[in-house]
Amino acid sequence: MSKRLTLAVSQSHTLPTTSATLSALSSTARSASRSNVHLLLFPEAYLGGYPRTCDFGATVGSRSDQGREQFLQYYHNAIDLGDTPRGAGDDWVERRLEVAKGKDYRGDGTREELEKVARETGVFLVVGLVERAGGSLYCGVVYVCPREGCVGKRRKVMPTGSERLIWAQGSPSTLKAIKTTISGVEITLAAAICWENYMPLLRYSLYSQNVNLYLAPTADARDTWLPLMRTIACESRAYVLSANQCVRRKHLSPWIHGAPSRKEMDNKQPPMPAANTTGTDIHDDTTATSSTEEPIPKTPQPTAADSAPGDPSPSPLRSGATPSPIKQRTDRRRRSSNLTPIPDNHFLALPSESQEISALDDDSEPTGKPKTNAQSHHDISPPNNTITTTHQPDPDSSKDGEELVCRGGSCIISPSGDVLAGPLWDLEDELLIIGDVDFEDCERGRLDLDVAGSYSRNDAFELRVQGLDLSPPP
């Protein structure tokens, strides 16, 4: 029996209000459904927002009134899923928690709305969000099945850098993998959020549960992210999906640029000056840079005219078709991306062939297994609607809020570490990248490596996680 599914990653940015973002999520899921997508991943903090560039008025030993007003706005934008501050686990999933008198559900209704979207579209949703529980905020991921509703939720166990000011730490017990059946294919999935993927023991806790679908919503758009995703895929012998937001400065919430303090509002004074946007405290899981360092060059929005007519590129991908994976790259240059538009504002993102140097010298994988149809490599002239994006400076990109503060980089990686689609750079218009995958490739890869099984030496090494059973789910 075939174990093929169609997976998708949404490169979407948070909208000014939670209701607007939920509406966009619904639209994206319906678009994915029309392309026969079975599972769809959204970026880190998609619901609630990632407050990029905001310093919340904090320095070591001091917080400002303006920063507290910013946090108030952020707190109100976060969603309430009806969970407890400690995390109720299965009691939350099974709706065993007490409901307030006169209400039909806990929380603000976001859980019910996500379940409705999944049910109506038939798409399994994995959504990055900022959750409000008690007086604290948590960065999390929720898993929403079209048949069963929310089947799991987890919270980021270690916020990075300045995130620790605004996000509490989640429980390691939420690293529990989810086993489900989608269109007759049994999969075990789990998520590691952003820089949790740099925690080797956390990764291993997911490998130990025998995941074959590893989800990595992120806010990291650096060049080092893609190699990390390829390493994780190779280690885990799982498909890896990573979703990031592509954000221009104009997309940031208005309160990030400067919220008036309570005293100012009481006195009806004008708002305080805008919050720091110099790059000295950027909360994007990257190392902060001083104003004396060279800024990251910005990339203009590409157009079809930017395509080089002679560059080889895959033919357009139609809904339900099989994308072409990418042979491993051996150079260190940033690769260009050929983006082939397909219906409903979806893209297949593949590197420019001119910059690819194959690590394979024949048509076989390292194991000697002939390539399947899904692994064949196209070498044809690009269609007229192919878009080529490259990393070039744009001196005018900061005008009118067009400056990119996060470049995206969403991708899909095979169990052997090959890039199937992406990374998708500098495009932010609610785009999907889609991959038609065969989960039997995960099992084929175990001939070479099973880091939590035959390759683990579990007689000598042992990992224990408080509150978490590392056995594969039944």
Side-chain angles (χ1 to χ4, degrees):
M1 179 179 176
S2 173
K3 293 187 178 181
R4 303 189 75 87
L5 291 177
T6 301
L7 310 178
V9 172
S10 175
Q11 185 153 295
S12 309
H13 63 81
T14 305
L15 299 180
T17 65
T18 300
S19 60
T21 308
L22 274 170
S23 178
L25 180 149
S26 176
S27 176
T28 302
R30 294 178 196 283
S31 177
S33 180
R34 289 192 294 269
S35 292
N36 301 314
V37 167
H38 296 99
L39 181 142
L40 174 60
L41 173 66
F42 287 88
E44 178 183 19
Y46 178 58
L47 295 179
Y50 191 90
R52 198 173 295 277
T53 77
C54 186
D55 60 16
F56 290 94
T59 59
V60 176
S62 175
R63 272 77 53 200
S64 70
D65 286 345
Q66 180 188 10
R68 294 186 183 96
E69 292 300 327
Q70 290 176 319
F71 182 77
L72 176 66
Q73 297 294 324
Y74 190 47
Y75 184 85
H76 288 168
N77 284 344
I79 64 172
D80 183 357
L81 294 172
D83 202 357
T84 65
R86 290 191 65 178
D90 289 341
D91 286 341
W92 177 82
V93 172
E94 301 296 334
R95 299 181 183 272
R96 292 195 290 258
L97 298 177
E98 182 181 1
V99 176
K101 186 176 180 179
K103 293 194 67 175
D104 296 327
Y105 52 81
R106 291 174 62 92
D108 60 11
T110 300
R111 172 179 179 168
E112 289 68 26
E113 179 65 21
L114 291 173
E115 291 176 336
K116 177 184 176 183
V117 172
R119 182 172 61 252
E120 292 179 350
T121 61
V123 177
F124 193 110
L125 302 176
V126 183
V127 184
L129 49 83
V130 178
E131 179 188 6
R132 185 174 72 244
S136 294
L137 302 181
Y138 300 85
C139 179
V141 169
V142 65
Y143 311 105
V144 191
C145 173
R147 302 183 310 276
E148 304 175 43
C150 289
V151 292
K153 175 172 65 70
R154 61 152 314 222
R155 294 170 174 172
K156 194 172 187 178
V157 300
M158 178 50 67
T160 300
S162 300
E163 295 171 357
R164 296 173 201 154
L165 177 69
I166 52 174
W167 294 343
Q169 294 179 338
S171 169
S173 65
T174 66
L175 288 163
K176 179 181 178 181
I178 304 297
K179 191 170 185 178
T180 188
T181 300
I182 301 177
S183 192
V185 179
E186 194 173 82
I187 63 173
T188 303
L189 59 90
I193 305 171
C194 205
W195 274 27
E196 286 184 331
N197 289 281
Y198 281 113
M199 301 171 68
L201 296 183
L202 186 147
R203 297 204 310 259
Y204 192 79
S205 73
L206 302 185
Y207 302 161
S208 297
Q209 297 176 73
N210 199 36
V211 297
N212 57 4
L213 181 57
Y214 187 109
L215 305 159
T218 188
D220 189 344
R222 304 185 309 165
D223 287 344
T224 51
W225 186 254
L226 182 65
L228 175 62
M229 295 298 98
R230 297 183 69 177
T231 296
I232 290 172
C234 192
E235 282 184 341
S236 64
R237 289 304 198 251
Y239 283 100
V240 173
L241 273 59
S242 184
N244 195 3
Q245 302 189 38
C246 182
V247 182
R248 298 183 185 274
R249 192 166 294 278
K250 66 182 180 182
H251 298 142
L252 299 175
S253 298
W255 58 263
I256 288 180
H257 302 296
S261 68
R262 182 173 59 186
K263 182 177 180 181
E264 284 180 313
M265 291 188 293
D266 291 342
N267 296 334
K268 297 182 179 180
Q269 295 178 351
M272 294 181 68
N276 171 33
T277 57
T278 62
T280 57
D281 192 16
I282 302 299
H283 301 188
D284 63 351
D285 289 351
T286 65
T287 304
T289 58
S290 70
S291 58
T292 59
E293 291 180 317
E294 182 180 354
I296 299 174
K298 309 303 185 298
T299 305
Q301 184 76 7
T303 64
D306 293 327
S307 298
D311 287 347
S313 169
S315 57
L317 176 69
R318 298 187 181 274
S319 298
T322 302
S324 300
I326 308 308
K327 293 184 178 181
Q328 284 186 310
R329 193 164 56 98
T330 57
D331 64 336
R332 294 181 59 86
R333 297 169 292 177
R334 174 185 288 282
R335 83 172 141 200
S336 299
S337 296
N338 287 336
L339 304 181
T340 303
I342 61 176
D344 289 322
N345 207 30
H346 303 167
F347 281 79
L348 175 66
L350 296 173
S352 172
E353 184 72 15
S354 62
Q355 291 194 18
E356 287 299 303
I357 303 175
S358 174
L360 306 176
D361 55 9
D362 56 34
D363 254 355
S364 299
E365 292 180 304
T367 59
K369 181 176 68 69
K371 288 182 177 292
T372 65
N373 181 56
Q375 298 162 323
S376 62
H377 191 72
H378 295 278
D379 185 13
I380 61 176
S381 298
N384 292 332
N385 60 355
T386 298
I387 300 172
T388 300
T389 66
T390 55
H391 189 54
Q392 299 292 337
D394 178 12
D396 298 322
S397 63
S398 61
K399 295 180 180 179
D400 301 321
E402 293 297 325
E403 177 189 3
L404 283 164
V405 294
C406 184
R407 301 187 57 235
S410 303
C411 59
I412 300 176
I413 314 295
S414 80
S416 59
D418 293 327
V419 181
L420 297 182
L424 191 62
W425 297 114
D426 304 345
L427 296 173
E428 79 280 0
D429 295 328
E430 307 296 322
L431 301 177
L432 294 177
I433 54 175
I434 299 174
D436 184 12
V437 306
D438 181 2
F439 277 90
E440 286 189 332
D441 284 344
C442 303
E443 298 162 358
R444 294 183 180 102
R446 299 300 174 89
L447 172 65
D448 308 294
L449 184 68
D450 181 6
V451 295
S454 62
Y455 225 80
S456 68
R457 284 303 305 273
N458 53 21
D459 59 323
F461 303 99
E462 181 181 6
L463 173 65
R464 289 175 291 177
V465 180
Q466 184 174 352
L468 179 67
D469 181 2
L470 296 182
S471 301

